[in-house]
Every structure is written in structure tokens, then in C-alpha cells.
Amino acid sequence: MIYLDNNATTALHPEVLKAMLPFLSAQQGNPASNHTFGRSAHTAIEEAREKVAASVNAHPSQVIFTSSGTESNNTIINGIAKAYPESHFGFSSIEHPCISEPIKSLAHQGFKVSEIPVDSNGIFNVSDVSDEMKQSLTFLSVMMANNETGVIQNIAEIADWARDNKIQFHTDAVQALGKIKVDFEALDIDAMTISSHKIYGPQGIAALIINKKIDLFPYMQGGGQEKGLRSGTENIAAIIGFGKACERSSQNRVIFSEKIDLLKSTLEKNLVDLGAIIFCEKSHRLSNTTFFSFKNIDGSTLLTALDRKRICHR
Ligand code: PLP
């Protein structure tokens, strides 16, 4: 089989599995328990937190572990809505549904909500935001890289603009991590989402990276884990795996992108020769992502035909 669906999920890397196994097979304590087992579980989590933080140049205290990118995105949106009831939420028209849907549902609770279009190259331009909208927006979410087109946004420029206009800014960096440089401190933004299973880590673990400047009402309440922002006993093995996957991805990112860039340009050249149209071809895109179509061929027909030829894509 040829697996070309890594933006959906990646296989667990053997080194990640190896790091996780001791935490799946031996007696584990609850990290909140003050005895030998509990303390060692707590220490292991804090070491993994350091690795996750280092991979995006954040401080470990800014890392909140959650169960998924979806949960991180819901946490920031609903947490802001409760902490700042006068919020006006903006999001780009290409956001993943786990951003667009929770924001849209806030409209039913009386919040002002705006979907902001991207241009024909898949790019979010701050110059396209009207003056009226600029004055009213209080929160904006724009993804760092798109899961379908692979288009990479100029997050530094959008973040500067948001800061100048006193707009809280969040970026969904789920598809960017491990593929391009992600630097939370340099971007100087309020919040960012990353997820483990896109970088050869386990499924069911992710993080919300937050700047302590913003107030966030907890989405999940209970025992007060993760600084009270995400209660629930930690999934220790998954957190350890996420830490290992982050460590690996930081070490391999440049080699990965150079190698994959070459493969992608060969693939796209051959696709174009066969009559394909490549979307957002001229934009700065992730090395591993290509989005194409053939005239008169339905996408799902192509998908099924390729699956029969043992090629999995989306
Ligand atoms: N954001 C983006 C851009 C994604 O591509 C995905 C998953 O495909 C998510 C968020 C959701 O992440 P998770 O699968 O960890 O919930």
C-alpha cells in the first residue's frame, strides 16, 4: 500500500512507541498522588511538557495538554467566550471545522461572529479586513498551514496586525508542526494549537499553547489538572509519546522538507502532464501537501480508483 494521507493521521513512529511502552506496561501512579508512583508519573509528564514546549519555542508553563487539536480549539474559543462576554470572533474561511463550528455556534448565544474570506491563492490578507470589522473584532483565528491546499499563511504579519489592533490572536498550527518552523515566542501571539498524531505521535493527545496574558475560562472542569484549564487524569503514555514525537520532529524537520519538496515537484509535474490542475500552485505551501483535480473526473471516483490500485489519499 502507498499511504498518502499523512495530513489526516500519521503512523506511530517506532521510537515513539518505544518511549511509550514502559508507561503502558508497568504500574503507573496518578500524577496527582503524592507517593513514589505518582511523583514519577508527574516528573515524566513535566519532562514531556519541556520537549513539547521546546519544539515550538514556548515556555513549558504555557503548554496545556488536551485530548486533541479539536479540544484545544474548542477550549480557546469557548474559554474566551466565557471570559470575555463582549467578544467579536473572526475566523478565516479556510479554518478546520473544529474552529469554524464552535465559533459559528457562539452566534446562537448572541456573540458577534465573522467569517473572513481568503483570496484565490488561499491567502488571508489583513488588507481585506474592512476598517469597520477591524475596529469591532476582539478575537481572530487563522490557521498556520491548510490541511487541504498546504498553503502557509504569513502568521507573523497577521499577528503584528492583530496586536496593533488589540485583537486576541490564535493560530491552529496542527498541520504546520514538524513541517515548517513554528516559534510561539517570536510570533508573540495569544494562543496556538498543535496535535500529536500529525507528527508520528499517538492519537488522542494535543496541546493548547497559551500566553498567560489572556484569561481563559476552563472548558473542562474538575480536579484542576493542567493549571485548572483542563481537568481530567492525564493520559501519561500518550503525553510521553507526544513529547518524543515533538523531539523527533524538531530534529528531522529540515531534512524532511528538503526530501519531500523534491518528491512533490516530481509528482506535480507528472500530474500536470496528465492534465491535472494544482490548487494554489503559486502560493508558499507545505512540502508534503498537494491538492489537485482532473477535469470531468469526480473526486470520490478518483479516490476509489486509486484505492483499488493500493494508493490511499484523500
Ligand atoms: N486543525 C487542523 C488544521 C487539522 O488538520 C486537524 C485534523 O485534521 C485538526 C485541527 C484536528 O486535530 P485532531 O485530529 O487532533 O482533533
Side-chain angles (χ1 to χ4, degrees), residues 69-117:
T70 300
E71 188 191 319
S72 295
N73 286 344
N74 275 269
T75 300
I76 184 72
I77 291 158
N78 290 295
I80 291 278
K82 280 218 170 149
Y84 303 89
E86 302 298 317
S87 293
H88 173 183
F89 288 86
F91 62 102
S92 87
S93 56
I94 52 165
E95 294 305 304
H96 191 276
C98 62
I99 285 286
S100 55
E101 292 307 311
I103 294 187
K104 282 182 198 163
S105 72
L106 287 176
H108 304 298
Q109 296 172 36
F111 284 92
K112 215 171 159 197
V113 162
S114 300
E115 180 170 341
I116 305 168

Side-chain angles (χ1 to χ4, degrees), residues 46-281:
E46 293 317 307
E47 282 170 7
R49 195 186 306 279
E50 281 172 22
K51 289 178 186 164
V52 172
S55 73
V56 293
N57 195 26
H59 191 271
S61 64
Q62 295 172 316
V63 175
I64 305 297
F65 287 120
T66 67
S67 70
S68 58
T70 300
E71 188 191 319
S72 295
N73 286 344
N74 275 269
T75 300
I76 184 72
I77 291 158
N78 290 295
I80 291 278
K82 280 218 170 149
Y84 303 89
E86 302 298 317
S87 293
H88 173 183
F89 288 86
F91 62 102
S92 87
S93 56
I94 52 165
E95 294 305 304
H96 191 276
C98 62
I99 285 286
S100 55
E101 292 307 311
I103 294 187
K104 282 182 198 163
S105 72
L106 287 176
H108 304 298
Q109 296 172 36
F111 284 92
K112 215 171 159 197
V113 162
S114 300
E115 180 170 341
I116 305 168
V118 295
D119 67 18
S120 57
N121 294 312
I123 307 280
F124 181 92
N125 298 299
V126 289
S127 54
D128 290 345
V129 182
S130 69
D131 281 347
E132 195 191 341
M133 169 104 69
K134 195 165 71 180
Q135 273 150 29
S136 158
L137 271 187
T138 60
F139 176 93
L140 175 65
S141 188
V142 178
M143 67 192 345
M144 197 172 281
N146 186 265
N147 40 306
E148 291 178 345
T149 60
V151 170
I152 299 166
Q153 303 295 333
N154 189 344
I155 293 297
E157 184 190 88
I158 304 169
D160 285 350
W161 174 88
R163 205 176 314 107
D164 289 349
N165 290 289
K166 303 202 168 19
I167 298 168
Q168 293 165 331
F169 184 67
H170 164 261
T171 188
D172 177 341
V174 164
Q175 294 295 347
L177 184 64
K179 299 168 193 156
I180 57 172
K181 191 170 179 208
V182 178
D183 190 329
F184 186 72
E185 190 182 312
L187 287 173
D188 191 13
I189 56 180
D190 295 296
M192 183 167 85
T193 294
I194 54 174
S195 180
S196 153
H197 72 108
K198 312 290 186 180
I199 58 161
Y200 304 93
Q203 292 160 345
I205 185 74
L208 178 66
I209 316 290
I210 48 165
N211 191 323
K212 280 178 251 163
K213 279 192 307 216
I214 59 162
D215 282 335
L216 204 60
F217 193 88
Y219 183 54
M220 200 86 94
Q221 296 178 66
Q225 288 90 344
E226 297 299 299
K227 300 175 196 74
L229 286 172
R230 203 285 184 175
S231 286
T233 301
E234 298 88 338
N235 184 344
I236 308 169
I239 290 174
I240 304 307
F242 188 18
K244 186 69 189 172
C246 282
E247 189 178 61
R248 275 197 74 259
S249 80
S250 311
Q251 287 159 359
N252 297 338
R253 181 174 44 80
V254 176
I255 307 165
F256 167 88
S257 59
E258 280 169 4
K259 193 172 138 198
I260 306 290
D261 253 336
L262 206 67
L263 290 171
K264 184 174 79 171
S265 51
T266 310
L267 173 68
E268 288 191 343
K269 192 188 162 304
N270 285 297
L271 285 168
V272 168
D273 287 349
L274 290 170
I277 297 155
I278 314 283
F279 293 99
C280 305
E281 196 180 359

